[in-house]
Amino acid sequence: MVSSRWLDEPLQTELDDAAVTALRQWCSQTETTMRLVRWLIGGRSAALVAAVLAEDPHEGARQLIMKLDRAPGTAEDPQPGEFARHRRALTESRDFARNHLTQPVHQPVPVGDGRWFVFQRVAGGSLRDPITLHTVLDAVLHPPRPVRGAGPTRSWGPQPAFPRPAANAAAAFADVSAAVVGSVLTDWAGRTHLPSMDVPTILGRQLGDRLAPGSRLHRLAAAHPGPTITVEAEDHPLPNPFALVLDSSRTAGLRLPTFVGRAHGDLHVENILIPTDLRDANAAFQLIDLSRYAADAVLTRDPTHLVLHVLARTLVELSPAQRTATIDVLLDPDLDGALLPQWLWLFIDRVRAAGQRWARAADLVEQWRDQLPLSLLACALTCLGRTSTREEDRGWFLRLAANAAAAFLDQHTLDQHTLDQHTLDQHTLGRPSPDQPSPAPTGPDRHTLDLPGQAQPADPDNADPGNAGNGRSRRQPCAPENIDRGQHSVPRAAADGAAPPTPEPPVARTANGGPEGAAIGGFRSSPPSADGVAGSARAGGSSVDLLLSHARADAAWADWISWHLEAAGWRVLPHPDLDDTDPDDAGSDGPDDPNHDDHGSPGGADEDLGSGTAVSLADAVAQAPRTLVVLSPAYLREVQRSAEWREAFPATTTARGSRLVTIRVEHCDPPGWLGLVASVDLVGLGEDEARATLVDRMTALRDGDERTGRRAG
């Protein structure tokens, strides 16, 4: 290694000789010295990315992001690379760029072999804040485990974890993802434009150069030219997705109005940066890596690619039944995702809703939905061809692409067998011409892709006669015997965006065999208080100091608040969210089901209130000296609008006195009269400050001091 006054040794170590020479020469001509801050690793591209400290005698020192990557095209036919596309994005939508895109610095520096150095400002001005959206996804998949053995267990139960943003990471991840998609479409895409395109053109724009000669996808397509294909876990052949890309006769010359406009072109969780504390993430996000930006991109691609990119990193977490259910949910928006993990269903549903909401504003939601199967096909093939995709997952992406092809052909009543067997053979894939011998197919009209875990071709003589046409049957997800349906059964999110309920945490068992904290007359009982007396709603209510009303989505907050108030001497009775349905008809699997509410169960504490009696919220409020409300958007959506809640808290009387106290845990906009009652504000506080604020404020209210305990401002 040649010593250099322009580049420090740590920076030179990771660069090859050609790159070092090119960068050193450029630095010498601009009198710029560069020192490595650190290499940035986390994405899966082949580019080298580093944070460097660049010092110019004329402009001073600043931290930059340096990226070394290969530009598209060839030496004979070079194509615009990231710098050119990034600069184009900045000029074509200045308002969006000012808020959500980083700024390039310097002109690109050529290495001479098709690679270029490009430099950008640091997004958000810091390497620690913002974080990538992938960090939030990681918190969803790998939440922190509870601390054990740190101290003695109190008589009122183990201390629950403080509900940091990660505790609500599933909802935060889904909401931020949907907000980014909504902003990209609303603020960046431009005016709605629907040119007419044929199917190969629509797919080709989304695949770009990924089907170029010599690519993995090109080799797979060339080896499997037939109109149908057999894929793993399907009992009949499906349309070959490559056929829809490569030949217009496959779709009988069909032309579709296609959403086009400005788009990122490679939207995924590692290219989206958000504030570390998640505050205002919906408005403060930034997008990086604009190497595939285009002003005339197919707009359904970015939201679809975001979803499939997440799946490419999380398929390993899914069972075979959940993998099948995921394909069906992606292709059929009317399915409820009951088998999917809660976080995944929430993410898919909210991202899809964001796209449809944008299209609905122009009364074009049907056209948007019609185009989605083609984007699923194109993005599935993109993931199939990526080197970063796990080998054992490639078969799933081919299966998704084939199902998407079938769904699209069914949607437009196109017969999968209309394609001439030799049409693709003659396509520009280097296949034999009609006068040359062709390889024998593996079966009538069938080709099998050689991928790990591939199922053997199904016998066409035993195919389901009900699957005529394109061969895609409408599967209804069902729970196999080896899957606990209670763990994955999630009610579909409401149209207003209400989140599915958070499963209750595991509960300890009492001496009589019932769960500690089981339902009591329509409530979940409080664990034993400091004096050892369970806080049940016995006649007279003398054993309850506080009734805690909360939405089921805020169960973690309710547990945390209850524990610390119990520790401070109050006796607390938590109340789960209200539900008009009979819990006996809710489809739970029994007391061991984490979502099961044991309302009115034999042997429970209902016997204190009379057999079969369920205490209404109004009665419980009347019995408790004071009622606390865990105030959040979920509470205002799910609970505060219910008739039972209005009966328990009439607006004309509740604002008097301090029997009702709101504990605000998220930013929300409560009705005006609710803003007049006593309140505790925990939004944005750390655990120690939140605990002190909660206990101090409740102590002040108990002692008649309305001022003590309020946060400044």
Side-chain angles (χ1 to χ4, degrees):
M1 179 184 302
V2 179
S3 177
S4 171
R5 58 174 289 198
W6 307 110
L7 306 177
D8 70 351
E9 185 174 330
L11 181 58
Q12 295 184 68
T13 300
E14 295 297 322
L15 298 174
D16 59 75
D17 291 344
V20 168
T21 299
L23 187 58
R24 187 169 55 229
Q25 289 177 348
W26 178 84
C27 286
S28 68
Q29 296 307 305
T30 58
E31 297 184 289
T32 301
T33 61
M34 285 196 181
R35 287 174 284 167
L36 178 69
V37 176
R38 74 170 189 257
W39 292 102
L40 302 178
I41 302 171
R44 301 194 181 188
S45 71
L48 280 174
V49 184
V52 297
L53 189 62
E55 189 161 359
D56 183 318
H58 308 291
E59 297 181 1
R62 56 180 167 179
Q63 188 170 233
L64 300 175
I65 300 299
M66 180 191 77
K67 184 174 182 180
L68 174 62
D69 199 6
R70 189 169 297 279
T74 63
E76 296 75 23
D77 183 24
Q79 301 295 318
E82 179 172 359
F83 178 85
R85 291 176 182 270
H86 194 151
R87 190 167 62 170
R88 194 184 307 162
L90 294 176
T91 58
E92 291 177 343
S93 184
R94 296 184 183 277
D95 290 341
F96 183 87
R98 187 181 310 112
N99 294 323
H100 301 297
L101 303 182
T102 59
Q103 296 291 322
V105 179
H106 306 308
Q107 292 291 315
V109 179
V111 176
D113 56 2
R115 293 179 298 162
W116 297 76
F117 284 101
V118 293
F119 301 92
Q120 301 172 9
R121 295 189 61 181
V122 177
S126 169
L127 295 178
R128 296 178 181 174
D129 187 6
I131 57 174
T132 67
L133 188 54
H134 183 272
T135 304
V136 184
L137 174 61
D138 190 62
V140 173
L141 298 175
H142 309 290
R145 298 183 63 198
V147 177
R148 298 183 178 91
T153 300
R154 306 296 179 89
S155 59
W156 49 90
Q159 178 177 345
F162 180 64
R164 302 179 189 277
N168 296 318
F173 177 68
D175 287 342
V176 173
S177 300
V180 170
V181 167
S183 179
V184 164
L185 291 171
T186 303
D187 305 325
W188 197 15
R191 295 178 181 175
T192 306
H193 186 42
L194 288 167
S196 177
M197 297 184 187
D198 61 26
V199 173
T201 301
I202 298 172
L203 294 171
R205 281 206 185 187
Q206 297 179 75
L207 286 165
D209 58 1
R210 295 180 180 90
L211 262 174
S215 68
R216 180 191 294 264
L217 282 183
H218 178 269
R219 294 193 299 270
L220 290 174
H224 302 88
T228 62
I229 196 168
T230 297
V231 294
E232 63 180 47
E234 298 288 351
D235 59 3
H236 55 278
L238 292 172
N240 184 348
F242 293 111
L244 271 69
V245 181
L246 297 171
D247 194 89
S248 59
S249 67
R250 182 64 183 88
T251 49
L254 177 68
R255 298 181 69 85
L256 299 175
T258 306
F259 292 90
V260 298
R262 292 186 286 270
H264 184 278
D266 192 25
L267 193 66
H268 58 70
V269 293
E270 289 155 5
N271 283 342
I272 299 171
L273 304 180
I274 57 175
T276 303
D277 60 6
L278 304 185
R279 292 183 187 177
D280 301 320
N282 297 356
F285 71 88
Q286 290 202 305
L287 304 180
I288 60 174
D289 190 359
L290 278 82
S291 59
R292 291 187 178 272
Y293 167 81
D296 57 353
V298 175
L299 295 180
T300 48
R301 185 188 189 279
D302 268 354
T304 304
H305 184 264
L306 176 61
V307 171
L308 294 198
H309 183 271
V310 168
L311 284 167
R313 279 138 184 79
T314 56
L315 280 176
V316 67
E317 309 277 347
L318 304 184
S319 69
Q322 289 172 326
R323 289 181 172 218
T324 296
T326 300
I327 290 175
D328 292 337
V329 164
L330 289 172
L331 289 168
D332 190 342
D334 295 327
L335 295 180
D336 64 3
L339 272 183
L340 272 59
Q342 176 181 332
W343 74 266
L344 179 57
W345 162 243
L346 199 62
F347 167 61
I348 292 173
D349 190 58
R350 293 195 180 177
V351 169
R352 175 160 50 201
Q356 292 183 1
R357 191 160 47 245
W358 175 79
R360 188 174 283 109
D363 301 323
L364 292 168
V365 71
E366 288 81 10
Q367 289 83 350
W368 180 267
R369 288 174 177 168
D370 286 350
Q371 201 173 306
L372 284 175
L374 293 180
S375 286
L376 281 167
L377 189 160
C379 293
L381 291 182
T382 297
C383 293
L384 172 65
R386 276 203 177 113
T387 57
S388 60
T389 300
R390 297 191 321 149
E391 286 299 325
E392 52 268 45
D393 293 337
R394 295 189 191 280
W396 186 88
F397 283 106
L398 177 65
R399 183 184 175 200
L400 172 60
N403 273 277
F408 177 79
L409 295 177
D410 284 344
Q411 184 177 295
H412 294 278
T413 63
L414 295 171
D415 185 358
Q416 67 170 346
H417 297 293
T418 58
L419 179 65
D420 175 55
Q421 175 68 37
H422 298 289
T423 302
L424 285 178
D425 291 347
Q426 301 171 35
H427 205 270
T428 57
L429 288 169
R431 305 297 299 161
S433 61
D435 57 349
Q436 293 175 318
S438 299
T442 59
D445 258 4
R446 181 174 72 235
H447 293 265
T448 304
L449 210 54
D450 184 16
L451 292 168
Q454 181 89 355
Q456 293 301 314
D459 183 354
D461 296 332
N462 296 325
D464 181 356
N467 292 327
N470 293 312
R472 174 169 165 79
S473 60
R474 184 184 176 90
R475 287 186 296 268
Q476 291 295 336
C478 58
E481 293 181 358
N482 63 338
I483 290 182
D484 176 9
R485 185 176 179 84
Q487 181 181 355
H488 304 291
S489 179
V490 180
R492 184 165 186 169
D496 62 359
T502 302
E504 292 287 338
V507 294
R509 295 285 167 177
T510 60
N512 65 3
E516 185 178 284
I520 298 177
F523 306 102
R524 188 184 68 216
S525 71
S526 171
S529 62
D531 59 6
V533 179
S536 60
R538 289 192 287 269
S542 59
S543 64
V544 175
D545 298 317
L546 304 169
L547 176 71
L548 183 63
S549 177
H550 65 92
R552 192 178 305 170
D554 296 322
W557 271 113
D559 288 343
W560 185 87
I561 291 168
S562 296
W563 194 93
H564 285 289
L565 291 178
E566 293 272 8
W570 279 275
R571 291 163 295 186
V572 183
L573 177 65
H575 188 292
D577 70 339
L578 301 173
D579 194 340
D580 292 333
T581 61
D582 184 349
D584 293 332
D585 296 332
S588 65
D589 293 330
D592 292 331
D593 184 350
N595 291 322
H596 177 70
D597 253 341
D598 194 15
H599 300 317
S601 60
D606 292 352
E607 294 172 359
D608 291 332
L609 301 168
S611 177
T613 301
V615 176
S616 70
L617 178 61
D619 289 340
V621 169
Q623 292 179 22
R626 183 173 280 118
T627 299
L628 311 183
V629 166
V630 180
L631 193 58
S632 69
Y635 193 90
L636 297 177
R637 269 196 314 264
E638 303 166 16
V639 181
Q640 185 260 338
R641 295 179 181 178
S642 70
E644 190 174 2
W645 197 91
R646 289 192 296 272
E647 179 186 355
F649 303 108
T652 55
T653 61
T654 306
R656 302 173 188 171
S658 57
R659 288 195 62 214
L660 177 64
V661 180
T662 61
I663 302 177
R664 195 166 69 111
V665 297
E666 289 186 53
H667 292 289
C668 57
D669 188 18
W673 69 267
L674 198 55
L676 300 177
V677 306
S679 64
V680 182
D681 190 358
L682 304 183
V683 175
L685 300 185
E687 181 171 8
D688 291 341
E689 187 181 0
R691 178 176 59 251
T693 299
L694 173 68
V695 174
D696 290 350
R697 177 66 175 146
M698 292 304 301
T699 301
L701 290 173
R702 182 190 61 193
D703 297 342
D705 185 349
E706 290 292 319
R707 296 166 298 174
T708 305
R710 291 186 185 273
R711 292 177 61 190

